[in-house]
């Protein structure tokens, strides 16, 4: 995920990535925006489920199933040439030619009565001119939602003289099912005396936290000189082609007194891990604690992470979701829950939520939760738990994961460490369900395959592994994975997971041959 920026008059480096499946079809950015602008009432008329629906605007759950085809609403006025150009730009962006859609600056402004602050967009690049009316209305709702996510604490702010800048991310899911990632850096604006922080937010279709963290370094450096210096850098970046894994794009950027720099943006070959940095996860939790969280996630339980830092919450939640590869978390996944919508924790469905520690009392009255404290000053890591987390995974395979994780101490880069961690959990799935391909049967006439579930788990020799698999195959995570396999044509499978399965099966054959 993370990359390096090598500064030189001519030359440099950064890393990125993109790997997710389709988002949930539910989206109500408009409801989130309306909730944000409305005066909060003591009782939400649609209850916990309503909170969950409103929050779908920020879901980073990604579904494997068929994407619902939603027709674009008819424009209320005919688009002119500018609108047509805007649509063309949108197409190029969606096809991967743009790194990002736009950059906004969100500032905290005093309310009319002067009693509190509210977040407002004070800078936007590029301006979205020439849009049809319906496009403009949807864009305004999205922008309102962005202000809420950049400052999830709400109006509880006081002017500060010192503020440790932080970087975090969130996801917006549009009404047509398309997804945009929000990357945010909060810092104290220039000036003297006490003042509230401001947030720089980049909206992009690219899932790559490390890349945008590095881009923010460049933005922040230019901002210290002048806001006007940000524009040419972002314009060059926005026009640059999005590179394929292993490829590099160079951005020329002029800075007064430094001359022209060339910043090289290099995408690593392991593009499926670009959005992840396991360092934060293992910095907050021990290896054994990570295993307990993984076990709860595999069985699609409700998990809440608690921390003060927004960056910690977003990075840990993305890391936990990545441990499930090649499977995808199919439910609600909200890296940072704004205070105004904290009642989402009451939803009865599976979720991964990030909650700031000051809101802990609003979380712990729920039952059947795994509440994980990521704070440095924590007394107990697990504030609440179901109690059976340590017995979910087969003991032998738990020991193998722990042994594999110990190898990360020998790694020297983030990419190497990411690979060691991901492969430790990938091998777990290879050994438990890697034989799935032999139990998808196709008729001679072709058509969709059928997964023989009973024969599949009965083929497992180990009783403890079979017990785990019987539970895992009942999850939506596994179900949607198998549905996609059933819809594919028979033949060799592609991808990292399948390659690891072939390696494991070959290894077993050799071991069997040696015994005989």
């Amino acid at each position: 995920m993370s990359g390096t920026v090598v500064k030189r008059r001519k030359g440099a480096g950064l890393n990125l990535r993109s790997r997710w499946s389709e988002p949930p079809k539910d989206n109500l950015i408009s409801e989130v925006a309306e909730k944000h602008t409305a005066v909060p009432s003591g009782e939400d008329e649609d209850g916990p489920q309503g909170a969950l629906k409103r929050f779908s605007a920020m879901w980073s759950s990604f579904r494997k199933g068929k994407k619902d085809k939603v027709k674009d609403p008819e424009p209320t006025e005919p688009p002119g040439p500018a609108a047509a150009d805007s649509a063309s730009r949108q197409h190029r962006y969606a096809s991967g030619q743009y790194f990002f859609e736009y950059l906004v600056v969100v500032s905290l402004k005093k309310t009319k009565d002067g009693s509190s602050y509210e977040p407002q967009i004070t800078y936007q690049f590029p301006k979205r001119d020439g849009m049809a009316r319906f496009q403009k209305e949807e864009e305004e709702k999205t922008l309102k939602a962005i202000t809420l996510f950049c400052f999830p604490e709400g109006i509880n702010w006081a002017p500060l003289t010192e503020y440790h800048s932080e970087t975090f991310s969130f996801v917006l899911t549009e009404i047509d099912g398309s997804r945009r990632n929000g990357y945010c850096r909060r810092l104290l604006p220039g000036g003297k005396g006490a003042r509230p922080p401001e947030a720089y937010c980049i909206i992009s279709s690219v899932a790559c936290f490390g890349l945008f963290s590095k881009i923010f370094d460049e933005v922040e450096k230019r901002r210290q000189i002048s806001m006007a210096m940000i524009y040419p850098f972002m314009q060059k970046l926005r026009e640059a082609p999005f590179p394929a894994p292993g490829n590099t794009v160079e951005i020329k950027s002029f800075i007064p007194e430094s001359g022209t720099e060339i910043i090289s943006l290099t995408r690593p070959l392991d593009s499926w891990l670009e959005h992840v940095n396991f360092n934060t996860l293992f910095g907050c939790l021990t290896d054994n604690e990570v295993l307990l969280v993984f076990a709860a996630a595999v069985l699609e339980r409700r998990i809440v992470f608690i921390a003060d830092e927004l960056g910690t919450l977003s990075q840990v939640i993305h890391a936990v979701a990545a441990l499930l590869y090649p499977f995808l978390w199919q439910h609600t996944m909200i890296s940072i829950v704004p205070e105004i919508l904290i009642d989402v924790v009451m939803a009865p469905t599976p979720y991964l939520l990030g909650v700031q520690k000051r809101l802990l009392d609003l979380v712990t009255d729920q039952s059947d939760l795994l509440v994980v404290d990521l704070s440095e000053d924590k007394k107990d890591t697990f504030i609440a738990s179901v109690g059976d987390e340590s017995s979910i995974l087969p003991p032998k395979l738990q020991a193998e994961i722990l042994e594999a994780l110990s190898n990360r101490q020998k790694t020297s880069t983030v990419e190497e460490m990411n690979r060691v961690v991901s492969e430790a959990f990938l091998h777990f799935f290879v050994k438990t369900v890697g034989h799935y391909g032999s139990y998808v049967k196709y008729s001679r006439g072709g058509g969709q395959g059928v997964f023989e579930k009973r024969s599949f788990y009965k083929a497992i020799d180990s009783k403890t592994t079979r017990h785990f698999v019987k539970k895992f195959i009942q999850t939506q995570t596994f179900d949607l994975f198998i549905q996609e396999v059933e819809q594919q044509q028979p033949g060799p499978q592609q991808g990292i997971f399948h390659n690891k399965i072939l390696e494991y099966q070959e290894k077993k054959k050799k071991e069997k041959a040696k015994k005989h």
Side-chain angles (χ1 to χ4, degrees), residues 16-194:
L16 34 112
R17 122 170 173 147
S18 178
R19 176 202 69 84
W20 297 113
S21 69
E22 293 175 9
K25 63 183 180 181
D26 307 313
N27 159 53
L28 298 169
I29 276 186
S30 56
E31 290 193 27
V32 175
E34 286 161 12
K35 176 76 173 178
H36 179 38
T37 54
V39 177
S41 59
E43 196 72 30
D44 186 357
E45 63 183 8
D46 52 3
Q49 289 285 7
L52 183 59
K53 280 189 174 183
R54 285 195 307 277
F55 234 122
S56 62
M58 196 179 170
W59 280 10
S60 11
S61 49
F62 307 110
R63 294 194 188 279
K64 275 274 192 184
K66 289 183 179 178
K67 186 174 182 178
D68 287 353
K69 293 183 179 178
V70 181
K71 289 185 178 179
D72 291 332
E74 292 295 325
T76 52
E77 53 191 51
D85 179 61
S86 173
S88 174
R89 291 202 309 270
Q90 284 294 309
H91 175 72
R92 294 202 306 272
Y93 168 68
S95 69
Q97 286 184 277
Y98 283 161
F99 276 89
F100 72 99
E101 189 172 349
Y102 50 76
L103 164 76
V104 296
V105 178
V106 181
S107 304
L108 288 170
K109 299 292 185 181
K110 278 196 172 182
T111 54
K112 289 181 180 179
D113 62 7
S115 62
S116 59
Y117 289 89
E118 67 176 3
Q120 295 178 8
I121 290 177
T122 54
Y123 177 88
Q124 180 179 338
F125 170 78
K127 293 289 186 183
R128 308 299 297 278
D129 299 322
M131 302 175 90
R133 185 181 299 167
F134 81 92
Q135 291 174 317
K136 194 170 184 179
E137 289 173 353
E138 288 304 312
E139 196 66 19
E140 286 173 356
K141 291 173 183 176
T142 299
L143 292 174
K144 283 182 181 179
I146 289 171
T147 63
L148 172 64
F149 303 149
C150 287
F151 287 97
E153 298 89 343
I155 62 175
N156 300 314
W157 285 96
L160 305 166
T161 54
E162 292 184 5
Y163 181 77
H164 179 67
S165 68
E166 54 188 336
T167 308
F168 55 95
S169 63
F170 55 85
V171 174
L172 299 172
T173 307
E174 304 298 332
I175 199 164
D176 64 352
S178 62
R179 185 186 68 260
R180 292 190 282 182
N181 302 282
Y183 300 93
C184 186
R185 175 166 292 184
R186 292 201 322 203
L187 40 78
L188 210 56
K192 295 181 178 179

Side-chain angles (χ1 to χ4, degrees), residues 295-313:
V298 165
L299 292 191
E300 299 182 328
R301 296 195 173 170
R302 300 192 303 158
I303 308 174
V304 177
F305 296 93
I306 302 292
D308 294 310
E309 299 80 15
L310 304 182
T312 298
L313 290 172

Side-chain angles (χ1 to χ4, degrees), residues 156-362:
N156 300 314
W157 285 96
L160 305 166
T161 54
E162 292 184 5
Y163 181 77
H164 179 67
S165 68
E166 54 188 336
T167 308
F168 55 95
S169 63
F170 55 85
V171 174
L172 299 172
T173 307
E174 304 298 332
I175 199 164
D176 64 352
S178 62
R179 185 186 68 260
R180 292 190 282 182
N181 302 282
Y183 300 93
C184 186
R185 175 166 292 184
R186 292 201 322 203
L187 40 78
L188 210 56
K192 295 181 178 179
R195 55 211 183 275
E198 65 184 8
Y200 285 67
C201 182
I202 294 175
I203 303 299
S204 173
S205 65
V206 179
C208 183
F209 186 87
L211 167 73
F212 288 98
S213 181
K214 300 298 183 182
I215 289 173
F216 277 133
D217 292 342
E218 297 295 318
V219 169
E220 190 172 346
K221 183 172 72 174
R222 285 155 179 76
R223 169 191 164 281
Q224 289 171 355
I225 302 169
S226 167
M227 282 293 289
M229 294 301 303
I230 297 174
Y231 171 85
F233 170 70
M234 296 305 289
Q235 180 64 33
K236 291 281 188 183
L237 181 67
R238 192 168 186 267
E239 292 173 352
F242 183 67
N247 288 2
T248 298
V249 168
E250 293 188 338
I251 308 293
K252 289 184 180 180
S253 180
F254 175 79
I255 296 182
E257 299 181 7
S258 297
T260 299
E261 289 184 348
I262 297 179
I263 304 167
S264 295
L265 310 180
T266 302
R267 233 181 133 188
L269 287 170
D270 286 343
S271 57
W272 66 288
L273 286 173
E274 283 177 309
H275 197 51
V276 180
N277 183 343
F278 289 116
N279 270 324
T280 304
L281 175 64
F282 285 93
C284 296
L285 304 176
T286 66
D287 292 7
N288 279 295
E289 289 168 346
V290 170
L291 266 189
L292 298 181
V293 172
F294 170 72
V298 165
L299 292 191
E300 299 182 328
R301 296 195 173 170
R302 300 192 303 158
I303 308 174
V304 177
F305 296 93
I306 302 292
D308 294 310
E309 299 80 15
L310 304 182
T312 298
L313 290 172
S314 62
Q315 289 187 51
V316 164
I317 284 184
H318 281 297
V320 169
L323 295 179
L324 300 175
Y325 183 85
F327 302 95
L328 296 175
W329 180 259
Q330 301 293 342
H331 305 279
T332 309
M333 189 174 92
I334 307 166
S335 56
I336 301 156
V337 179
E339 181 176 359
I340 196 171
L341 294 174
I342 192 62
D343 55 353
V344 71
V345 301
M346 298 171 65
T349 51
Y351 54 57
L352 300 176
L353 302 181
V355 175
Q356 288 178 284
K357 196 164 187 177
R358 60 189 181 80
L359 303 176
L360 178 59
D361 290 344
L362 302 178

Side-chain angles (χ1 to χ4, degrees), residues 365-380:
D365 59 345
Q366 301 299 305
S367 60
D368 296 330
L369 281 184
L370 181 64
V371 181
V372 187
D373 192 347
L374 305 172
S375 308
E376 290 183 10
D377 60 347
K378 61 192 172 191
K379 293 180 180 178
D380 297 302

